[in-house]
Amino acid sequence: MGIAAAVAAALLVSASGAGSQTLAALPAVSIPAAFVGEARPVPAWTEFCARYASECAVDPSEPAQVTLTPRLWQTVTGINRQVNTGLRAVTDQEHWGVPDRWDLAEDGAGDCEDFQLLKRKLLAQAGLPRRAMRMTVVIDEKGEGHAVLMLRTDRGDLVLDNKTSAVLPWHKTGYTYIKREGDEGARWVSLGRAVSPVVTANR
């Protein structure tokens, strides 16, 4: 069974418990991450978009944020956890023989951005608008380039990460935020003044 099918099956099994959750189980409301201008995308992102154009398209008719409900929260945390445990972590150099390549981990292995791209694909299949799910480049706790998925919600911006199965508010990850996909078109936006990493190639 592929990772996508396994995730779908696991979510069906857990869906029966969604009704018992309440709003109290959701993250507290927080201030969203502010952007300060335009930014250049990571080169490997541009190459990914040439191969998977539909994964990079922005539909301006979609909402730029979602309303977080207990059922949606369960879907988000479930997919984050299932992808994190279902994929094998491997660097792009080991996997493809190149420093940085963004992909959908279709062979069951990948590094940070591949985990997040697969999560976004599965969440979109579950009904979430792609426009509210933005790939984001950060500097991690090791001072290295890293990619996470930012989910923009009415309770603030939440981060899906392959380093933890906890979906956290962006300001509680300990990361330095560099840039993310914009929600108006193909361009990216800057989230701060730190120098952008050239690659996001750690596991």
Side-chain angles (χ1 to χ4, degrees):
M1 181 184 290
I3 180 65
V7 168
L11 289 174
L12 283 174
V13 170
S14 63
S16 60
S20 63
Q21 296 189 36
T22 67
L23 291 174
L26 301 180
V29 176
S30 62
I31 297 173
F35 69 89
V36 295
E38 292 187 357
R40 291 176 180 265
V42 175
W45 164 260
T46 304
E47 296 166 5
F48 170 80
C49 292
R51 286 181 282 118
Y52 297 96
S54 63
E55 295 293 324
C56 303
V58 176
D59 181 352
S61 70
E62 287 188 332
Q65 67 174 35
V66 296
T67 298
L68 201 61
T69 64
R71 184 173 292 276
L72 181 58
W73 177 241
Q74 184 180 44
T75 298
V76 170
T77 56
I79 285 178
N80 188 60
R81 182 174 58 254
Q82 291 292 332
V83 171
N84 283 354
T85 58
L87 291 183
R88 180 172 60 89
V90 59
T91 67
D92 287 328
Q93 195 65 54
E94 296 166 327
H95 198 184
W96 302 107
V98 295
D100 197 21
R101 170 174 164 145
W102 290 36
D103 217 292
L104 287 169
E106 292 169 310
D107 60 358
D111 67 352
C112 56
E113 68 275 353
D114 307 326
F115 278 67
Q116 317 326 331
L117 287 166
L118 178 58
K119 291 171 191 177
R120 183 166 72 171
K121 180 178 181 178
L122 293 170
L123 287 166
Q125 290 174 354
L128 276 74
R130 288 182 182 276
R131 190 173 175 225
M133 298 182 286
R134 305 286 80 191
M135 289 295 293
T136 303
V137 173
V138 303
I139 301 296
D140 69 7
E141 75 284 354
K142 298 178 181 178
E144 298 176 346
H146 182 52
V148 297
L149 180 62
M150 182 179 288
L151 175 61
R152 311 203 71 206
T153 84
D154 62 332
R155 302 179 77 86
D157 295 335
L158 305 176
V159 168
L160 285 72
D161 193 356
N162 59 298
K163 295 188 177 188
T164 175
S165 286
V167 177
L168 299 172
W170 70 277
H171 56 87
K172 291 191 174 181
T173 61
Y175 297 152
T176 299
Y177 286 77
I178 307 300
K179 56 189 176 182
R180 66 164 172 81
E181 292 177 81
D183 55 22
E184 301 297 334
R187 294 187 177 182
W188 282 47
V189 295
S190 174
L191 298 175
R193 294 183 174 84
V195 176
S196 174
V198 176
V199 300
T200 57
N202 70 46
R203 290 191 230 184

